[in-house]
Amino acid sequence: MTAPDYPETRRGDVVETYFGEEVADPYRWLEEDVRNSEEVAEWVEAQNAVTHAYLDALPARDWFTQRIGELYDFQRFSVPVERGGRYFYTGNSGLQNQSPLYVRDSLEAEPRLLIDPNEWADDGATALSGWVPSPDGSKLLYSVQDGGTDWRILRVLDVDTGEQIGGEIRWAKFTSLAWVGEEGFLYSRFPEPEEGEDFQALNMDQAVYYHALGSAQADDQLVFATPDFPERNHTAQTTTDGRWAIVSSSTGTDARYEVHVIDLAAGWGARPLVTGFEDSWGIIDSVGSRLFFTTNKDAPLYRVISIDMDNVEAGWTEVIAEREQPIADASLVGGHLVIEYLEDASSAAYVHTLDGELVREIEFAGIGSASGFHGNPDSPEMFYSFSSFNRPATIYRYDVAGGDSSVFAEPELAFNPDDFVVEQRFYESRDGTRVPMFIVRRADVAASGEAVPTLLYGYGGFDVSLTPGFSASRLAWVEAGGAFALANIRGGGEYGKAWHDGGRRANKQNVFDDFIAAGEFLIAEGVTPEGGLAIQGGSNGGLLVGAVVNQRPDLFAAGNAAVGVMDMLRFDQWTAGRYWVDDYGYPDREEDWRILRAYSPLHNIRPDTDYPALLVTTADTDDRVVPGHSFKYTAALQAEELGERPQLIRIETRAGHGSGKPTDKQIAEASDIAAFLAYWTGLQPGE
């Protein structure tokens, strides 16, 4: 199956001059929102018709569709949250498009359905996003995500009756949900965009508001804003005891914050606690007037410190010093601090006293990812989840005081986790940096030493750590006889601030070098044969795929660039793109522009070169990385002579950057991608 005939794409005549260099942008018109442009809508329809005809004919597609569906079909749960003796959690019977929310009136009580988002839309594309019970458990504040957008609609539910309380809150985005007693809550919103600009306009002037239950949104009280600095973002959290509200402000994606504290018993006055946007500050919780934070101030791998708000002049007290591993999360439960660390990109957690003394380690079942650690400061009961590449999440109930652990919810599986081997290896990048990589294979494949088609995944940006986790599509690939590899390349947060700094701005090439070195390592070590390596990444990882394919098209057989940032000269023009300058640099500054120009996927395609088979994936309602990035990149690929392998784009409708996507769409998309990559790497399921 060679490349099909692509739809014709009109070339415009846009040429702009940046710092003395003329740059053509012939597909600028593809930046238009598909809802507002008939020409773009027709282009999307034509591209999808060609792509789906090609994907439907792939020999392994039916196998992957069936097997991925079977591997998705297990009962799964979120980590419970206890309030007022009630336990709230989401659950999915297996193939439900969205996960309903349940409540138990006690730990031993039968669960009852509280919210079923599957009833909200016929296509299953309206999702329950965030949710927070009120302090006494009588009410539930939750957010609704429609069609994959980052915008949220906020509602409040009476837990006893299931009836909605009051009206809806609109234009919330990038918001936390913070109860203030039982009477109202804090949330963050942007001004309502101009008509038709919902999914493309820059996000500016975020502010924190208080909504009193039963009142109209128009009457909400402005609590915190910086109109003189419209680029600043603000979110609010409240401590479990309800005494304090913590407003965290940022200017981009970097973990550099200012912190203001509101004593809720004394009105809405916000007291500056940390100023300057220099370091990361994450509120853990409070005990009386003592606030606990994680911070990387004077500690690149983070530490825990506290301050007494009744005696701020006394300054900060170090509670838990920086270790050799970065802190990933922290909770205050049952009068103890529970600290999660990343040890070579795998979870480890420890219980400490409030004075920092180590009590014990929480034992996990090998290499994997733990999350949640939900509990209350005055109760020893805590819940957390643990998962790995070959194990979906099991939910545990843990006694912080005594250290006893028990299973709260464990899925029944359609496979045996022991049939798979998870290992961690280290390899050297181009500059000699030691980089970790996880490799997952069937036990018999690993024992045989056979080189098999391999799917390599990476991200490499924004201080995001990639840790072991379960994926039905990845496991299906491994079941089919392939290998899955995850490279913890620089730009992420696996080893703290230095690891992040080593892969951003002027150091971005290190990310690409690390990923290329990962591919070379897999071939050299006999994990995959030459011609058997596929690569995949999403968002910043989509940029990664586009960049390394341009730099080393000979190394890869196939790739999937998902919802990628492909135009590095214009990424700051839409929605949340302006935040990304912390990692990428500023396109309007010459020094940064020249770095961006050197690796921008759109601007570095190599004509008359044999390229891997590429499947670009995006969605029409992606208002995080607007689909125009992928549209323009695909049009540019298809306009060049790049050999016999195809460069296609799959455009999902009523979906966004990823979150909230219904299960049936996840299975269909994953099956298309797996079948495409399998065909071009030689992976043949069932053989």
Side-chain angles (χ1 to χ4, degrees):
M1 296 177 66
T2 56
D5 292 331
Y6 303 124
E8 184 176 346
T9 301
R10 176 176 65 83
R11 288 179 61 89
D13 56 4
V14 176
V15 178
E16 294 180 329
T17 301
Y18 300 88
F19 308 107
E21 181 178 334
E22 287 191 348
V23 178
D25 195 0
Y27 307 114
R28 177 74 62 89
W29 63 274
L30 283 170
E31 294 176 357
E32 290 293 320
D33 189 337
V34 66
R35 299 161 188 79
N36 301 331
S37 169
E38 183 177 346
E39 185 179 20
V40 174
E42 290 174 351
W43 184 88
V44 167
E45 184 178 3
Q47 290 285 344
N48 267 342
V50 170
T51 297
H52 284 292
Y54 186 92
L55 296 174
D56 290 347
L58 290 168
R61 190 186 182 282
D62 290 345
W63 186 92
F64 277 111
T65 299
Q66 178 177 338
R67 190 55 185 153
I68 292 174
E70 292 168 349
L71 291 171
Y72 256 98
D73 194 8
F74 64 91
Q75 193 173 22
R76 49 194 179 273
F77 304 90
S78 69
V79 176
V81 175
E82 184 274 328
R83 291 292 183 271
R86 286 172 160 159
Y87 295 80
F88 300 81
Y89 58 91
T90 60
N92 193 305
S93 61
L95 296 177
Q96 290 175 284
N97 275 327
Q98 303 292 344
S99 295
L101 182 81
Y102 296 89
V103 61
R104 294 185 187 182
D105 292 325
S106 69
L107 190 63
E108 295 77 22
E110 289 296 313
R112 60 184 174 92
L113 179 64
L114 195 57
I115 297 175
D116 186 359
N118 296 289
E119 299 177 351
W120 292 345
D122 291 340
D123 63 358
T126 304
L128 173 64
S129 183
W131 51 271
V132 181
S134 65
D136 69 2
S138 65
K139 293 173 280 292
L140 185 87
L141 168 62
Y142 65 98
S143 61
V144 177
Q145 178 187 24
D146 184 54
T149 177
D150 280 335
W151 293 111
R152 299 292 187 267
I153 301 168
L154 310 186
R155 298 172 182 161
V156 177
L157 198 71
D158 183 301
V159 174
D160 285 325
T161 66
E163 298 296 320
Q164 184 172 320
I165 300 173
E168 297 179 337
I169 301 296
R170 296 274 177 165
W171 308 114
K173 182 190 274 195
F174 308 139
T175 182
S176 53
L177 305 174
W179 281 98
V180 178
E182 297 290 330
E183 293 76 35
F185 57 87
L186 297 169
Y187 69 98
S188 302
R189 62 160 292 181
F190 291 94
E192 181 177 350
E194 294 183 9
E195 186 176 355
E197 293 296 315
D198 305 20
F199 304 111
Q200 290 204 322
L202 282 170
N203 300 143
M204 307 288 281
D205 290 301
Q206 190 181 36
V208 176
Y209 285 84
Y210 172 75
H211 177 75
L213 297 187
S215 65
Q217 182 174 4
D219 298 327
D220 287 356
Q221 182 169 350
L222 177 64
V223 172
F224 193 88
T226 52
D228 292 336
F229 302 96
E231 74 281 359
R232 294 183 181 178
N233 315 300
H234 312 290
T235 58
Q237 298 169 266
T238 49
T239 54
T240 302
D241 62 8
R243 178 175 176 183
W244 308 99
I246 314 299
V247 178
S248 298
S249 303
S250 64
T251 59
T253 55
D254 263 8
R256 295 181 290 110
Y257 305 116
E258 288 192 343
V259 178
H260 289 74
V261 179
I262 300 171
D263 185 344
L264 292 171
W268 295 116
R271 177 180 184 178
L273 181 63
V274 178
T275 59
F277 296 105
E278 295 177 355
D279 304 294
S280 174
W281 298 87
I283 181 67
I284 301 173
D285 213 324
S286 67
V287 175
S289 60
R290 189 181 180 192
L291 300 181
F292 291 83
F293 287 83
T294 57
T295 184
N296 62 1
K297 178 176 173 57
D298 303 323
L301 298 176
Y302 289 83
R303 58 183 176 143
V304 176
I305 61 178
S306 68
I307 194 166
D308 186 344
M309 292 304 297
D310 289 342
N311 187 19
V312 172
E313 295 75 16
W316 295 92
T317 299
E318 183 172 87
V319 180
I320 300 175
E322 180 185 29
R323 285 183 25 166
E324 294 182 355
Q325 300 82 20
I327 292 177
D329 197 9
S331 303
L332 204 164
V333 182
H336 291 78
L337 291 165
V338 180
I339 312 298
E340 180 198 354
Y341 293 90
L342 283 184
E343 297 184 354
D344 288 330
S346 188
S347 292
Y350 302 85
V351 178
H352 295 256
T353 68
L354 294 184
D355 294 325
E357 180 182 348
L358 177 64
V359 177
R360 77 181 74 86
E361 180 178 0
I362 300 175
E363 298 293 335
F364 299 138
I367 292 175
S369 302
S371 64
F373 303 108
H374 292 166
N376 295 315
D378 58 358
S379 170
E381 180 183 63
M382 181 180 77
F383 294 90
Y384 70 90
S385 72
F386 183 82
S387 64
S388 191
F389 294 109
N390 59 339
R391 295 179 185 275
T394 295
I395 310 300
Y396 294 89
R397 182 172 181 259
Y398 185 80
D399 182 352
V400 172
D404 297 326
S405 182
S406 59
V407 173
F408 176 80
E410 184 175 25
E412 294 183 7
L413 304 177
F415 65 93
N416 182 358
D418 295 332
D419 289 342
F420 305 91
V421 173
V422 178
E423 58 180 318
Q424 186 176 45
R425 298 194 194 180
F426 294 81
Y427 66 94
E428 282 195 3
S429 189
R430 182 177 182 179
D431 62 359
T433 298
R434 186 171 179 261
V435 182
M437 173 195 292
F438 294 105
I439 301 175
V440 187
R441 291 176 286 184
R442 277 192 344 224
D444 61 323
V445 171
S448 73
E450 178 186 359
V452 296
T454 298
L455 175 58
L456 171 63
Y457 187 90
Y459 187 78
F462 296 96
D463 202 23
V464 172
S465 301
L466 297 186
T467 59
F470 181 76
S471 162
S473 59
R474 292 172 180 172
L475 196 71
W477 178 276
V478 175
E479 277 194 339
F484 173 76
L486 186 150
N488 297 107
I489 56 183
R490 280 174 285 185
E494 288 87 346
Y495 294 103
K497 188 175 186 298
W499 200 251
H500 177 212
D501 289 344
R504 65 177 180 141
R505 303 290 290 266
N507 296 322
K508 189 66 176 178
Q509 184 58 41
N510 288 336
V511 177
F512 312 137
D513 289 344
D514 288 358
F515 201 61
I516 289 168
E520 293 174 331
F521 174 83
L522 290 167
I523 294 171
E525 291 293 302
V527 175
T528 191
E530 292 189 16
L533 182 59
I535 55 174
Q536 184 180 42
S539 194
N540 177 74
L543 156 64
L544 169 67
V545 170
V548 300
V549 161
N550 286 336
Q551 294 181 15
R552 285 293 307 276
D554 60 301
L555 184 60
F556 312 110
N560 167 224
V563 293
V565 187
M566 299 308 197
D567 185 345
M568 301 309 298
L569 307 186
R570 288 177 56 77
F571 69 83
D572 61 341
Q573 300 296 305
W574 304 285
T575 61
R578 67 177 184 83
Y579 303 146
W580 310 336
V581 295
D582 285 343
D583 243 56
Y584 298 147
Y586 292 81
D588 60 354
R589 299 177 184 177
E590 182 174 2
E591 182 180 3
D592 289 346
W593 183 88
R594 296 205 177 278
I595 294 168
L596 294 165
R597 174 67 180 84
Y599 70 78
S600 176
L602 175 64
H603 300 96
N604 288 279
I605 296 168
R606 296 162 62 176
D608 303 315
T609 302
D610 286 341
Y611 261 51
L614 289 174
L615 180 60
V616 179
T617 51
T618 188
D620 63 356
T621 314
D622 188 349
D623 49 358
R624 185 84 55 84
V625 180
V626 295
H629 281 279
S630 295
F631 294 175
K632 291 167 64 177
Y633 173 63
T634 301
L637 287 170
Q638 293 178 352
E640 301 293 350
E641 294 293 333
L642 300 178
E644 295 185 352
R645 287 175 281 196
Q647 284 80 45
L648 302 173
I649 185 167
R650 184 188 190 279
I651 305 155
E652 189 66 81
T653 58
R654 288 269 297 154
H657 200 58
S659 67
K661 186 178 291 186
T663 299
D664 57 3
K665 288 188 177 184
Q666 292 184 52
I667 293 171
E669 181 181 54
S671 303
D672 284 345
I673 294 168
F676 181 85
L677 300 179
Y679 182 82
W680 287 104
T681 56
L683 180 64
Q684 298 177 341
E687 294 191 3

